[in-house]
Amino acid sequence: MMDLASLQTLVGPENVSASLEDRLVYGRDASRLRGECLAVAWPMHPEQVVALVEWARAEAVDLVPRGAGTGLCGGATPQRSLVADLSRLTRIESVDVEQRRARVQAGVVLETLNRRLALAGLFLPVIPGSHRSASIGGMIATDAAGLRAVRYGVMRDWVEEVTLVDGLGRVHRLSGDALNHAAGREGVTGFITEATVRLAPLPRQRSISLMAFDDEAALLAQRRRWLVPELTALEYLNRHAAAALGWEPRPHLLAEFDSAQGEIREPARIAELWRQRDGLYPVLAASGRWLIEDPQVEEDNLVALLSWLDAEQIPAFGHLGVGIVHPCFRPNDERIAALYELVAGWGGQVSGEHGIGLKKKAWTDDAFRAQIRQLKAVYDPQGLINRGKLC
Amino acid sequence: MLKEPLENPACIECGLCREVCPMFLILRQERISPRGLAILADEGVASVTFYQCTLCRACRVVCPVGHDPAGERIRGQVVAQGVETEANRIMIANIRQYGNPFGPLKEGEIPKTLTCC
């Protein structure tokens, strides 16, 4: 039985709970997996995370770091663990407009940060679908990508330094190659408590081209033509997804540029097209297809992947500029396993941007698992933090 | 004004509602978020936590599937199971006995406190 009273003295009695309600809601994240949460703590300062880890070591309780709980692979699902919710670490510590960088605590929400940065004509340009709620810490831990990855890359590309509290309670300030010890590691090496992120200037101009095609091969030929430096997003909808939006049931490509290259330039029309595109997953989810996957394949295998999804009549959309596709399934669809067999056979990634968590562990390879075990040996030899995730 | 939907799509637990919820913005605790309340409702937990919801329905506006928190109906179910806040119990008793939530008022008296949920 863990000693929650001593934890309460460390982080404050109001910041620890083992109530039925808290245990139930923190037993889940957006993955819909059901875990078992023993208790919850809400650190109010990064220093309290250190105290929490030291307490957990003494009590031999494993800890699950949690940001906004918007991850889709169970990275924040507890397994008889104490969940440490970093949602209250919300301080934007500094913004350097000239150097285009910001220092933030892990619980800062992307949308909140970008609203503040807009005043200075800047933004953090990694925009995952969960941008309204996603926290910076969670985005680094999952190496988030999103709509504009074709232009701006992934979260790791925008992180300069990460403060990590490891499984021994040590505080590391990671930068350069060592960023890989925290970014994309889904919390298995420790708690990301603070980060310095790089910022980009907000585009001054936007235009869009929207095109429907007879088949995926013709669409992919156009994709290659649109891969120009001005491209900021390249979104795909297969015919089943287009039909769900009430569009002509043909494969579509939507390309956004930060120049006048696209034919659609009126801001209202651009906003309306993005509104429809943003509404696609909700439409599919509301029809029961809420299970969204994220395979990523190289260009050579895109036609095979898209053709298979089309033939199976699986609605799919995605960020085709970087080869990430989001097929949407009903729960327990056996074709999900078949899809990943195919993707693995093509040498693709089973997770282009959602992460591995608990859901996709079975699809990782030996080299990846060895790499994670090596990192665990250095940062969390007792295996206290996010046990059983990734491998 | 948003109406009670005839069919209420189930919460998909995505969490996109968190940052529009005025109570979550203050407390930053999942139990208070619209997603947390939907999970508690789904689990059939009779809890006073349902009284933390302001019934503003900002969550329904941003919800990808248009889930309605149905706070009034859930509170009714919770009360039927004998779970309610003391403030709510007094308010309902006052309304039934005196026709207002404040309790007995003299002619022209302005109530100093509003007993509410």
Side-chain angles (χ1 to χ4, degrees):
Chain A
M1 197 68 183
M2 58 185 165
D3 179 9
L4 283 181
S6 65
L7 180 60
Q8 286 175 328
T9 62
L10 293 171
V11 300
E14 69 283 8
N15 297 323
V16 178
S17 170
S19 74
L20 170 68
E21 289 96 327
D22 286 317
R23 285 186 287 116
L24 274 174
V25 301
Y26 282 98
R28 310 190 198 174
D29 60 12
S31 68
R32 313 287 296 269
L33 294 173
R34 300 202 177 191
E36 187 177 353
C37 168
L38 300 178
V40 188
W42 295 269
M44 301 296 287
H45 311 285
E47 299 76 32
Q48 288 188 344
V49 177
V50 177
L52 174 64
V53 171
E54 284 168 353
W55 173 87
R57 289 184 67 205
E59 294 286 326
V61 172
D62 64 67
L63 298 174
V64 171
R66 179 176 169 118
T70 52
L72 294 163
C73 292
T77 305
Q79 303 169 98
R80 291 190 59 74
S81 328
L82 184 143
V83 175
D85 182 353
L86 304 192
S87 293
R88 292 178 180 170
L89 299 183
T90 54
R91 184 176 299 179
I92 298 173
E93 288 166 351
S94 62
V95 176
D96 185 333
V97 173
E98 278 190 13
Q99 295 297 316
R100 290 184 188 160
R101 66 164 72 102
R103 178 88 182 155
V104 298
Q105 291 186 340
V108 168
V109 172
L110 174 66
E111 191 106 325
T112 309
L113 177 66
N114 275 346
R115 260 203 306 269
R116 176 151 161 199
L117 293 172
L119 300 170
L122 297 172
F123 75 136
L124 176 60
V126 180
I127 313 288
S130 56
H131 59 90
R132 269 204 202 106
S133 293
S135 66
I136 301 297
M139 287 175 63
I140 297 170
T142 54
D143 201 16
L147 286 171
R148 294 189 166 84
V150 66
R151 172 63 170 275
Y152 296 107
V154 294
M155 193 64 185
R156 192 183 325 217
D157 303 327
W158 294 88
V159 179
E160 209 163 272
E161 186 188 87
V162 159
T163 303
L164 181 85
V165 178
D166 73 9
L168 296 171
R170 299 174 300 190
V171 179
H172 303 265
R173 292 186 78 138
L174 305 174
S175 58
D177 289 344
L179 277 174
N180 290 332
H181 299 177
R185 300 308 182 187
E186 301 187 35
V188 301
T189 52
F191 288 84
I192 293 167
T193 56
E194 293 165 277
T196 303
V197 291
R198 283 191 277 270
L199 310 170
L202 279 166
R204 293 190 178 162
Q205 188 176 26
R206 283 202 301 172
S207 66
I208 277 183
S209 289
L210 178 66
M211 215 179 264
F213 301 85
D214 289 334
D215 55 38
E216 265 65 17
L219 179 143
L220 288 168
Q222 183 61 44
R223 170 188 178 272
R224 282 188 289 277
R225 284 192 284 276
W226 270 338
L227 289 175
V228 294
E230 296 80 19
L231 184 74
T232 51
L234 187 57
E235 292 295 294
Y236 163 71
L237 292 79
N238 74 2
R239 64 189 169 109
H240 310 293
L245 274 189
W247 294 7
E248 191 184 357
R250 295 164 70 194
H252 283 71
L253 266 187
L254 184 156
E256 184 193 69
F257 308 91
D258 62 359
S259 67
Q261 179 167 342
E263 303 78 41
I264 302 164
R265 292 168 198 158
E266 308 78 46
R269 175 80 179 120
I270 290 173
E272 170 57 19
L273 279 170
W274 276 122
R275 191 191 65 73
Q276 290 187 34
R277 163 61 188 81
D278 284 348
L280 176 54
Y281 174 65
V283 167
L284 296 172
S287 71
R289 296 177 182 276
W290 55 262
L291 204 57
I292 180 169
E293 298 293 326
D294 64 325
Q296 182 175 28
V297 297
E298 295 290 331
E299 184 175 357
D300 291 349
N301 296 310
L302 272 174
V303 71
L305 172 62
L306 302 187
S307 302
W308 185 83
L309 292 168
D310 180 54
E312 292 288 329
Q313 303 193 351
I314 298 166
F317 57 97
H319 321 308
L320 216 56
V322 290
I324 295 174
V325 180
H326 292 307
C328 292
F329 295 91
R330 298 181 199 282
N332 305 317
D333 191 324
E334 290 173 357
R335 293 174 298 176
I336 297 172
L339 169 67
Y340 285 127
E341 292 282 359
L342 287 171
V343 170
W346 294 324
Q349 305 291 321
V350 294
S351 178
E353 59 179 351
H354 293 166
I356 302 292
L358 286 171
K359 264 191 175 174
K360 295 184 182 168
K361 285 199 308 183
W363 301 100
T364 57
D365 60 30
D366 290 343
F368 176 80
R369 283 192 285 269
Q371 194 181 43
I372 297 301
R373 277 194 287 270
Q374 267 182 349
L375 285 172
K376 278 299 245 191
V378 173
Y379 288 97
D380 183 28
Q382 285 176 256
L384 285 179
I385 307 200
N386 231 6
R387 173 177 56 83
K389 309 292 168 62
L390 292 183
C391 71
Chain B
M1 185 177 165
L2 288 167
K3 292 178 182 169
E4 183 91 12
L6 294 174
E7 286 183 17
N8 193 3
C11 169
I12 59 168
E13 298 178 26
C14 64
L16 300 190
C17 49
R18 284 163 46 109
E19 297 294 325
V20 299
C21 172
M23 289 306 294
F24 180 81
L25 287 176
I26 295 166
L27 296 168
R28 306 200 72 75
Q29 188 172 354
E30 191 71 53
R31 170 160 60 97
I32 310 298
S33 75
R35 170 171 63 176
L37 291 174
I39 290 172
L40 294 179
D42 182 45
E43 295 282 348
V45 178
S47 168
V48 291
T49 305
F50 290 108
Y51 286 88
Q52 300 269 18
C53 169
T54 66
L55 309 177
C56 73
R57 288 189 159 84
C59 52
R60 183 173 149 197
V61 175
V62 301
C63 176
V65 298
H67 172 72
D68 186 86
E72 301 89 342
R73 184 173 52 75
I74 292 172
R75 280 191 200 173
Q77 292 167 350
V78 168
V79 169
Q81 294 180 62
V83 175
E84 62 183 316
T85 62
E86 182 65 4
N88 191 67
R89 194 189 59 72
I90 294 170
M91 180 180 75
I92 300 296
N94 282 339
I95 289 171
R96 286 189 176 142
Q97 191 171 349
Y98 303 104
N100 71 69
F102 309 107
L105 292 172
K106 292 180 191 145
E107 187 66 31
E109 181 188 350
I110 297 170
K112 291 190 177 120
T113 55
L114 170 61
T115 298
C116 190
C117 45

